[in-house]
């Protein structure tokens, strides 16, 4: 016969020693992890990346030389150097490291002179300065335009997203050279033409990244809670979702800078970018290419500076990408 048990209700009476305040316990915690914010962790991961540090040193070195290089030179970038004794122009044939003979004895030309007698040291770093200014200005504006466009498109979705994405597809389907050719009809050649051409093309990549992040973020709980509490769309987009998508956008921006530098160099090389007497990396490469059979050293300095610029920014972009999205084995 099965036994039956009757549950009896007992009253618990606490006694001394049953409870202890948590603050009185000796609990070992990882203080470094507890005090480390997300962006601090990103910074630590970035600084530990050797390639990123190499890229950062290259970029900072080129920026420093682009600022100070023309200042420390006794010659202007458009100055035709003449011998004060007989007004003879420093012509082709001057060695890149200077000369110890003839009327120009004692003059030092680290990168040599071009065929018109202008100092290539000053012109190279002046050209690097122009290329960096064009790249930073266009990428900053493109980041704002593309980021705003992509976030708005992804947030509202539906017909708004369809219409805005068709505009992106149309803009992306037009070749860059066609855009530059049309702009060259209405705008004078120079820095303005290059900046406008880059503004019309480089924002597309930013908008795609921002839209993809928005589609991933807009269904999060904090967004739904903000909608429930009556927050406006612009507040949700730019105050709540934007800070959580800034990481991939910064990475895309780092990869877009070398693209802008190369585009400027290409446009100047084909003759629709920076024109004389101004100089850029592309115009210097074009000038050196024209004299490559007689004065081959003229093309070396702008090509090396261009390669180091693109290599440095790509290394920094890789470092940001790995720091913002670490691999499982690195965690």
């Amino acid at each position: 016969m099965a036994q039956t048990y009757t549950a009896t209700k007992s009253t618990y009476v606490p006694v001394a020693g049953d409870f202890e305040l948590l603050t009185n316990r000796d609990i070992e915690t990882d203080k470094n992890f507890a005090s480390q914010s997300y962006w601090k962790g990103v910074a630590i991961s970035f600084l530990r990346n050797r390639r990123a540090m190499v890229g950062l040193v290259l970029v900072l070195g080129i920026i420093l030389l682009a600022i100070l290089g023309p200042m420390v030179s006794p010659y202007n970038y458009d100055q035709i150097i003449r011998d004060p004794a007989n007004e003879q122009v420093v012509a082709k044939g001057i060695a890149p490291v200077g000369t110890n003979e003839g009327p120009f004895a004692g003059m030092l030309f680290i990168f040599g002179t071009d065929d018109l007698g202008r100092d290539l040291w000053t012109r190279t770093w002046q050209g690097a300065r122009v290329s960096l200014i064009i790249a930073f200005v266009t990428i900053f504006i493109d980041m704002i335009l593309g980021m705003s466009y992509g976030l708005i498109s992804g947030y509202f979705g539906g017909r708004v997203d369809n219409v805005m994405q068709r505009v992106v597809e149309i803009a992306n389907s037009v070749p860059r050279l066609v855009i530059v050719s049309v702009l060259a009809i209405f705008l004078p050649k120079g820095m303005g033409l290059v900046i406008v051409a880059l503004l019309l093309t480089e924002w597309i990549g930013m908008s795609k990244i921002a839209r993809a992040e928005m589609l991933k973020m807009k269904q999060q709980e904090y967004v739904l809670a903000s909608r429930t509490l009556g927050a406006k769309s612009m507040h949700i987009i730019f105050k709540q979702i934007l800070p959580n998508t800034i990481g991939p956008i910064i990475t895309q921006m780092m990869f877009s800078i070398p693209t802008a530098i190369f585009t400027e160099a290409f446009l100047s090389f084909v003759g629709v970018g920076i024109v004389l007497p101004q100089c850029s990396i592309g115009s210097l490469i074009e000038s050196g290419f024209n004299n490559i059979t007689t004065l081959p050293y003229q093309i070396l300095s702008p090509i090396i500076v261009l390669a180091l610029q693109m290599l440095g920014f790509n290394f920094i972009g890789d470092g940001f990408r790995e720091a913002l999205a670490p691999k499982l084995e690195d965690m």
Side-chain angles (χ1 to χ4, degrees):
M1 182 176 179
Q3 297 179 354
T4 59
Y5 297 92
T6 304
T8 59
K9 183 178 180 180
S10 60
T11 302
Y12 171 73
V13 179
V15 296
D18 284 353
F19 299 97
E20 183 180 356
L21 293 176
L22 185 62
T23 55
N24 294 333
R25 295 184 182 181
D26 186 14
I27 301 177
E28 294 184 1
T29 60
D30 189 350
K31 296 181 180 179
N32 183 41
F33 177 80
S35 62
Q36 180 172 299
S37 64
Y38 171 73
W39 287 108
K40 184 178 179 181
V42 169
I44 293 174
S45 178
F46 179 81
L47 294 175
R48 290 177 179 175
N49 191 317
R50 294 183 179 180
R51 285 195 306 170
M53 288 297 96
V54 171
L56 187 62
V57 170
L58 287 175
V59 169
L60 292 179
I62 291 175
I63 292 175
L64 187 64
L65 286 171
I67 296 172
L68 301 179
M71 296 182 182
V72 300
S73 175
Y75 313 110
N76 294 327
Y77 72 93
D78 58 350
Q79 177 183 354
I80 298 177
I81 305 168
R82 301 175 183 272
D83 178 47
N86 54 16
E87 293 297 320
Q88 182 181 355
V89 176
V90 177
K92 59 180 73 174
I94 297 298
V97 295
T99 178
N100 296 317
E101 300 177 353
F104 307 108
M107 292 186 181
L108 178 63
F109 305 101
I110 299 176
F111 291 163
T113 59
D114 62 6
D115 52 342
L116 296 179
R118 295 171 297 193
D119 182 29
L120 283 179
W121 166 271
T122 309
R123 290 182 64 77
T124 298
W125 297 120
Q126 177 67 24
R129 180 190 297 181
V130 171
S131 299
L132 288 171
I133 290 174
I134 292 174
F136 283 129
V137 169
T138 55
I139 294 305
F140 178 75
I141 298 176
D142 283 333
M143 181 189 69
I144 296 176
L145 294 178
M147 181 177 59
S148 302
Y149 192 93
L151 290 175
I152 293 173
S153 175
Y155 179 80
F156 290 103
R159 293 183 178 179
V160 175
D161 185 47
N162 288 332
V163 172
M164 297 181 72
Q165 291 309 303
R166 299 298 81 76
V167 174
V168 170
E169 292 175 1
I170 294 172
N172 197 31
S173 63
V174 180
R176 183 172 295 168
L177 283 179
V178 175
I179 296 176
V180 173
S181 300
V182 174
L183 290 175
I185 300 174
F186 303 99
L187 297 176
K189 296 179 181 179
M191 187 182 296
L193 175 62
V194 177
I195 290 177
V196 173
L198 290 172
L199 288 177
L200 293 177
T201 55
E202 291 299 319
W203 65 273
I204 298 175
M206 295 283 186
S207 69
K208 291 181 179 180
I209 297 294
R211 177 178 177 269
E213 291 298 315
M214 172 59 76
L215 293 176
K216 182 174 63 175
M217 292 288 182
K218 71 177 185 177
Q219 299 300 330
Q220 297 293 326
E221 288 80 2
Y222 69 90
V223 177
L224 298 177
S226 297
R227 289 176 182 171
T228 304
L229 294 174
K232 296 182 179 180
S233 298
M234 293 298 107
H235 175 83
I236 296 174
I237 293 173
F238 294 105
K239 294 292 185 179
Q240 297 186 0
I241 297 180
L242 176 58
N244 293 312
T245 62
I246 199 67
I249 292 175
I250 292 176
T251 303
Q252 176 66 22
M253 184 177 67
M254 287 295 106
F255 284 117
S256 298
I257 290 176
T259 302
I261 293 174
F262 180 79
T263 302
E264 181 280 321
F266 172 74
L267 294 178
S268 298
F269 182 82
V270 299
V272 295
I274 305 300
V275 294
L276 297 175
Q278 292 183 338
C279 60
S280 69
I281 294 297
S283 63
L284 291 174
I285 293 175
E286 188 268 339
S287 177
F289 179 78
N290 293 334
N291 300 315
I292 195 170
T293 56
T294 56
L295 301 171
Y297 68 85
Q298 290 186 6
I299 201 173
L300 292 178
S301 56
I303 282 182
I304 292 174
V305 171
L306 175 64
L308 292 178
Q309 281 180 331
M310 299 187 65
L311 189 66
F313 280 111
N314 277 300
F315 279 174
I316 293 175
D318 286 333
F320 271 116
R321 181 172 59 186
E322 294 177 6
L324 292 166
K327 299 178 182 178
L328 183 61
E329 59 267 19
D330 296 334
M331 298 179 64

